[in-house]
Amino acid sequence: MKQSGDKELEKLRQRLEFLEKVNQQYISTLDTLNSLGDIHGNVRQKRSPQHIFSSTRQYICRLTNFDVTAFLMVNEDNNSFEIKDCLPQNSQHSLQSLIDSLIESGEFGWALNQSRICQPQLKLDGKTVLLHVLSSRTRIRGMFIGVLADTESVPSVMTLGLISAILYNSAYALESATLYKMVMKDNQDLELMVVDRTKALNTAQIELKKSNEELEGRVKERTAELLSANKKLLAEVERRKEIENSLRESENNLIAARQLAESANHAKSEFLSKMSHELRTPLNAILGFSQVMELSDELMQSENGYYVNEIRTAGEHLLVLINEVLDLAKIEAGKIDINSENINLADVLRECYALIKPLAKKKGVKLKELPDHLDNLCLYADRTLVKQVFINLLSNAVKYNTEGGMVDLKVDFTDEMAEIRVIDSGIGIKEDMQQYMFQPFNRLGVESSKVEGTGMGLVITKNLLLLMGGQIDFKSKFGHGTEFCIRLPPGFESFSPTKNKVSNAPDRILAIKGFSVLYIENDAPNIRLMESILSKWPQITLTSALSAESGIELAREMIPDVIIMDINLSEMNGYEAVKLLKTEKQTASIPVIALSANAMQKSVKQGMESGFERYLTKPLKVVEFLKLLGSLTGQVLLQ
Ligand code: ADP
């Protein structure tokens, strides 16, 4: 009984010892697990795999005894395993041989795929080898290899589990360390980048400041430039203003000068008009009386009739000349009126010949007969101006000729041009003087000769021809004669020479019913002329007044059938007088004819505007006047 009790006691004691041992193991395990966090903590502090390896080794060796422990790490470059930490270090060589063998046998690779401690067949010096992969969830970091010290006993399953847990923990710590290192490196890189960027920023800031300063400098410079340009501009504006002012001043001066020129021109026109008037007034008497004489058949059939005719022709030529003087003044002013028409060349030349003949006769120069093929030839030109041209050339041909000399005329017509040559056998023009031909007032060396002249005739001739679309040139041989050749456009129609002939035969005086005429005129010869004209009709009562005022009085009293009135009257002029007559009821309907030596276009226009029925110019064309008088009184005075 006692023996069985002791046995039981012994069993209980062994049981207690076992439980105490187990208890010790649990406490130690808890202790180990408790301190596993240190590996991580250390990792964060030290960050070195070596430190992780030695900490791990410490904990593992607390759990079981190893002869050799080593940590292998994967070389990322060639995917091989390298021993990184081996204890004792002198076992590294034998351990490497063991590893090679394990790799060769495939046990190493097999262990890599296990998530626990593996015990390969191969041993080192007869001692058990343990392998445990060092891996995190994502990748394999390496391998733990341990050679147990005690060949006989293998650690318990719990111990092996704990070792496995520690090694996993180490693998994570290694991973964390690597990540930590990477993060740190990234941080460092980032910091470096920040530093770099900051540096770059600073540099940029400095650059910016510099360029700002530069810009400011340039702005200052530009502002200064602008200010100076502005200043210059202001000065320029001032200068322009001054120029403008002086321009305005000179413009004003110009206006004043123009006004002066205009008034001078006006004075010139006035002078010409006056001169024309003064010449026309006596000519009116000459031409008027000769026309009155021509009305008498008896007189015209006598020898005196021939003289009367000569007086009238010469008077008419004088009238043409006066007109030409006015025309020449107009040429200079560019105001000449060209009335081009078809004119019969033979008619014009005959008229010119008739005028030149007396001069030729006097000089003993022979005027050759006009060519006989001229009758149907026409020029397209202004009749008066063409006459003036031929008179100039023919009179020169006679003037600059010698006794017994001759003057000839040659005519050639083409479709485009009529060519008329005036040829003389006169004194000719010295060769060295010929270049000065057509120069105003240049008499080409004949100034001291007896031949009178002004040196203007050919200048005027040339200008007239140019105005009519013609030309002139000449050739001359000193001592032998001169030839002037003029060209003018030919006319477009053949002309009957008789068509244009001026008939000198007077119209026949007819018997009429009586009427009254009031003539207001301050020039006595003109009144006498009017009396002579109207004396052919005893039925016509002519009353005259010497001034506008007395004329108006008379008009009111007698209410004549027609009033004839001069313009240039002593006090009130003709324009004012007619206006007055037209405003008064009893005289308003009396037709008033202006009869004035003032033949300027302007005066005629003014006269018509003032209220005259017609504006006749002196010298009076008697037939035209009588026809007008007849039409105003409803009578026929001439047949
Ligand atoms: P004027 O005859 O009044 O002097 P013109 O202008 O008619 O002026 O002529 C200019 C000059 O040309 C004349 O002075 C004269 O020397 C020269 N002349 C003109 N026509 C002839 C001519 N037919 N023969 C010789 N010389 C002439």
Side-chain angles (χ1 to χ4, degrees):
M1 205 45 191
K2 196 192 169 228
Q3 260 187 337
S4 68
D6 286 343
K7 256 187 177 176
E8 275 299 309
L9 203 64
E10 183 59 21
K11 267 184 176 176
L12 276 172
R13 200 181 46 83
Q14 280 178 355
R15 183 102 182 120
L16 194 67
E17 264 177 23
F18 173 74
L19 283 174
E20 236 169 55
K21 211 173 160 188
V22 169
N23 195 31
Q24 275 298 316
Q25 272 182 351
Y26 277 128
I27 289 166
S28 153
T29 303
L30 279 173
D31 200 29
T32 305
L33 286 174
N34 227 3
S35 31
L36 275 181
D38 290 354
I39 296 174
H40 276 290
N42 286 337
V43 165
R44 249 173 245 124
Q45 279 165 18
K46 308 287 177 186
R47 297 179 213 123
S48 115
Q50 239 54 51
H51 191 83
I52 294 168
F53 295 150
S54 76
S55 299
T56 308
R57 183 179 284 119
Q58 246 179 12
Y59 289 113
I60 291 171
C61 288
R62 260 194 237 160
L63 294 173
T64 191
N65 286 330
F66 286 99
D67 256 1
V68 181
T69 49
F71 294 91
L72 284 75
M73 290 296 284
V74 175
N75 183 341
E76 302 280 345
D77 295 335
N78 54 13
N79 275 335
S80 65
F81 284 80
E82 287 170 7
I83 298 168
K84 288 292 178 192
D85 190 298
C86 177
L87 211 72
Q89 281 178 356
N90 54 14
S91 306
Q92 186 161 338
H93 190 66
S94 54
L95 199 65
Q96 185 62 53
S97 308
L98 175 71
I99 292 164
D100 291 343
S101 307
L102 284 169
I103 291 169
E104 214 167 281
S105 69
E107 283 175 303
F108 194 87
W110 172 74
L112 282 176
N113 291 320
Q114 306 303 310
S115 49
R116 60 185 175 84
I117 285 193
C118 300
Q119 192 180 328
Q121 297 282 312
L122 281 174
K123 297 189 186 240
L124 184 70
D125 300 334
K127 291 177 182 168
T128 304
V129 175
L130 296 180
L131 290 174
H132 192 283
V133 67
L134 292 174
S135 68
S136 67
R137 202 184 290 171
T138 49
R139 61 173 175 161
I140 293 169
R141 302 280 309 172
M143 181 72 95
F144 167 76
I145 186 161
V147 181
L148 288 172
D150 192 351
T151 34
E152 296 308 310
S153 69
V154 175
S156 68
V157 174
M158 197 174 72
T159 306
L160 288 177
L162 265 174
I163 291 170
S164 178
I166 291 165
L167 287 171
Y168 267 116
N169 197 42
S170 298
Y172 276 104
L174 277 174
E175 184 71 8
S176 300
T178 309
L179 287 174
Y180 185 75
K181 220 170 163 184
M182 272 164 68
V183 169
M184 287 308 284
K185 189 166 182 301
D186 281 355
N187 260 357
Q188 267 174 5
D189 286 353
L190 218 65
E191 269 171 26
L192 279 176
M193 241 161 84
V194 168
V195 169
D196 279 356
R197 291 276 163 93
T198 313
K199 255 187 200 167
L201 214 69
N202 283 343
T203 318
Q205 246 171 0
I206 290 165
E207 288 286 315
L208 202 73
K209 204 177 160 198
K210 211 169 133 192
S211 63
N212 258 357
E213 279 167 6
E214 249 177 54
L215 212 69
E216 267 172 29
R218 266 162 58 191
V219 166
K220 265 185 199 160
E221 239 171 64
R222 196 87 191 95
T223 312
E225 269 173 33
L226 276 173
L227 278 173
S228 108
N230 209 19
K231 223 170 164 183
K232 276 183 195 159
L233 216 68
L234 281 172
E236 182 62 18
V237 168
E238 278 305 310
R239 199 177 68 85
R240 295 250 166 128
K241 268 187 193 161
E242 271 169 31
I243 292 173
E244 222 169 85
N245 284 342
S246 74
L247 261 170
R248 205 168 294 139
E249 206 173 295
S250 47
E251 200 182 31
N252 287 340
N253 288 344
L254 222 70
I255 290 170
R258 201 179 62 197
Q259 278 167 355
L260 211 70
E262 272 170 5
S263 76
N265 200 32
H266 184 71
K268 184 183 153 194
S269 303
E270 280 293 298
F271 168 74
L272 283 172
S273 142
K274 277 229 170 73
M275 194 187 76
S276 148
H277 181 267
E278 293 309 313
L279 290 171
R280 276 163 189 270
T281 305
L283 204 56
N284 188 40
I286 298 167
L287 280 173
F289 281 115
S290 57
Q291 287 173 88
V292 169
M293 283 190 266
E294 277 180 346
L295 286 172
S296 157
D297 288 347
E298 201 185 318
L299 179 73
M300 291 312 288
Q301 273 149 24
S302 71
E303 196 187 348
N304 283 343
Y306 171 77
Y307 299 139
V308 169
N309 198 271
E310 283 298 308
I311 292 169
R312 191 181 58 79
T313 315
E316 271 169 359
H317 176 59
L318 193 57
L319 181 63
V320 170
L321 284 184
I322 291 167
N323 288 338
E324 283 171 355
V325 167
L326 283 172
D327 282 349
L328 295 180
K330 280 190 200 162
I331 294 180
E332 280 179 353
K335 283 182 182 168
I336 189 145
D337 292 329
I338 310 280
N339 298 310
S340 287
E341 56 179 335
N342 261 342
I343 51 169
N344 184 280
L345 181 63
D347 278 353
V348 172
L349 290 176
R350 267 188 216 110
E351 282 171 35
C352 297
Y353 261 45
L355 288 165
I356 298 300
K357 251 179 200 160
L359 182 68
K361 201 174 169 191
K362 200 171 152 200
K363 262 229 134 187
V365 173
K366 187 175 180 323
L367 270 183
K368 280 204 174 173
E369 285 299 308
L370 283 173
D372 20 297
H373 66 283
L374 295 185
D375 275 354
N376 288 324
L377 298 180
C378 294
L379 295 176
Y380 187 73
D382 186 297
R383 189 184 174 85
T384 316
L385 303 185
V386 166
K387 258 179 85 176
Q388 191 173 342
V389 165
F390 282 122
I391 290 167
N392 273 348
L393 295 177
L394 288 167
S395 64
N396 276 355
V398 173
K399 259 164 59 177
Y400 301 107
N401 218 318
T402 47
E403 200 174 345
M406 68 87 201
V407 173
D408 196 6
L409 225 135
K410 296 251 184 287
V411 178
D412 278 311
F413 262 66
T414 67
D415 286 346
E416 278 83 39
M417 202 51 84
E419 193 177 90
I420 301 123
R421 283 172 293 148
V422 179
I423 306 156
D424 69 65
S425 60
I427 59 170
I429 303 161
K430 283 185 185 157
E431 210 168 308
D432 59 334
M433 297 307 281
Q434 290 182 14
Q435 56 182 314
Y436 305 114
M437 181 62 92
F438 306 116
Q439 274 188 358
F441 306 108
N442 199 328
R443 298 206 62 213
L444 313 181
V446 298
E447 297 84 348
S448 51
S449 75
K450 280 184 195 160
V451 186
E452 282 186 2
T454 60
M456 279 299 289
L458 286 177
V459 181
I460 291 159
T461 300
K462 186 175 180 177
N463 282 331
L464 291 177
L465 283 166
L466 290 176
L467 283 175
M468 290 186 284
Q471 305 161 359
I472 185 167
D473 53 44
F474 75 102
K475 51 186 179 191
S476 182
K477 201 163 180 203
F478 187 58
H480 288 87
T482 307
E483 177 180 315
F484 280 92
C485 175
I486 66 161
R487 290 181 196 90
L488 276 166
F492 44 80
E493 204 174 83
S494 106
F495 229 69
S496 157
T498 47
K499 220 161 131 187
N500 259 19
K501 266 196 175 155
V502 183
S503 167
N504 283 336
D507 298 61
R508 237 165 27 94
I509 293 159
L510 299 174
I512 54 156
K513 280 187 195 161
F515 60 83
S516 58
V517 174
L518 171 63
Y519 185 29
I520 307 170
E521 165 69 85
N522 59 359
D523 183 65
N526 278 327
I527 294 177
R528 284 201 297 279
L529 172 64
M530 189 57 71
E531 284 167 355
S532 303
I533 294 169
L534 297 184
S535 65
K536 311 285 171 202
W537 293 270
Q539 304 91 329
I540 301 174
T541 324
L542 175 68
T543 313
S544 51
L546 288 167
S547 70
E549 291 79 0
S550 60
I552 290 166
E553 275 302 308
L554 272 171
R556 283 179 192 139
E557 273 170 31
M558 59 181 274
I559 313 292
D561 293 297
V562 176
I563 299 173
I564 303 161
M565 181 151 54
D566 188 17
I567 300 288
N568 276 5
L569 296 164
S570 42
E571 292 202 6
M572 184 190 283
N573 67 30
Y575 304 125
E576 294 162 336
V578 76
K579 273 186 194 159
L580 198 64
L581 287 170
K582 291 289 162 189
T583 50
E584 288 185 18
K585 206 178 164 194
Q586 72 262 43
T587 53
S589 58
I590 308 170
V592 188
I593 302 170
L595 178 54
S596 169
N598 204 339
M600 304 295 275
Q601 199 68 28
K602 205 176 79 189
S603 313
V604 178
K605 194 170 170 250
Q606 194 184 349
M608 296 309 284
E609 282 166 3
S610 304
F612 285 110
E613 196 73 29
R614 280 285 291 277
Y615 193 107
L616 299 181
T617 56
K618 296 172 187 171
L620 182 65
K621 292 179 194 80
V622 177
V623 175
E624 185 194 345
F625 164 70
L626 290 172
K627 281 184 178 160
L628 172 65
L629 198 61
S631 78
L632 290 176
T633 53
Q635 307 281 326
V636 182
L637 302 176
L638 294 171
Q639 198 179 36

